[in-house]
Amino acid sequence: QVQLVESGGGLVQAGGSLTLSCAASGYIFSVNAMEWYRQAPGNQRELVASITKGGSTNYADSVEGRFTISRDNAKNTVYLQMNSLEPEDTAVYYCYAVIVVITTTLAEYPYWGQGTQVTVSS
């Protein structure tokens, strides 16, 4: 079964940086869109950034200019470089990917990572 495994979360002071990684593994034919979401306590889960297989990116207004999403298709991995972090960025960050998996045939499914905590202290 396909899994998304996240890493890179932690505690950082305001103004600092962190880079998150999310690697897909399993019987994968193709990884299509990859995205990062975040959810703070009491808040809705929100889309932070997305990237297509071809490398086209989109960002939430709140992170535009501070965060950069990228991917390594050879490694089936998506990254989120976070600079100039603010306390408001504190949340659990989840990666998401649309993946064509190999079973008895080929089928496209959405997958979620387990989440990684990012805490920004003031």
Side-chain angles (χ1 to χ4, degrees):
Q1 183 176 344
V2 170
Q3 292 183 318
L4 298 180
V5 179
E6 302 179 31
S7 62
L11 175 65
V12 65
Q13 293 185 2
S17 299
L18 284 174
T19 299
L20 306 182
S21 299
C22 177
S25 63
Y27 290 97
I28 298 171
F29 181 80
S30 178
V31 179
N32 296 330
M34 304 188 82
E35 300 178 334
W36 287 97
Y37 289 76
R38 68 185 182 187
Q39 187 168 21
N43 291 349
Q44 295 265 75
R45 186 172 297 187
E46 63 176 339
L47 178 64
V48 176
S50 63
I51 185 168
T52 68
K53 188 175 182 178
S56 180
T57 60
N58 283 285
Y59 298 92
D61 289 343
S62 59
V63 307
E64 182 76 46
R66 299 188 297 119
F67 291 10
T68 302
I69 187 172
S70 61
R71 64 190 290 168
D72 185 338
N73 289 337
K75 297 180 179 179
N76 291 327
T77 300
V78 63
Y79 306 93
L80 186 67
Q81 181 181 333
M82 304 182 292
N83 299 324
S84 301
L85 284 163
E86 305 167 353
E88 292 74 20
D89 296 316
T90 295
V92 177
Y93 284 70
Y94 299 89
C95 70
Y96 167 89
V98 178
I99 300 174
V100 179
V101 302
I102 303 172
T103 58
T104 56
T105 183
L106 299 180
E108 187 177 76
Y109 296 103
Y111 290 90
W112 289 92
Q114 81 280 8
T116 184
Q117 177 71 47
V118 172
T119 302
V120 184
S121 62
S122 60

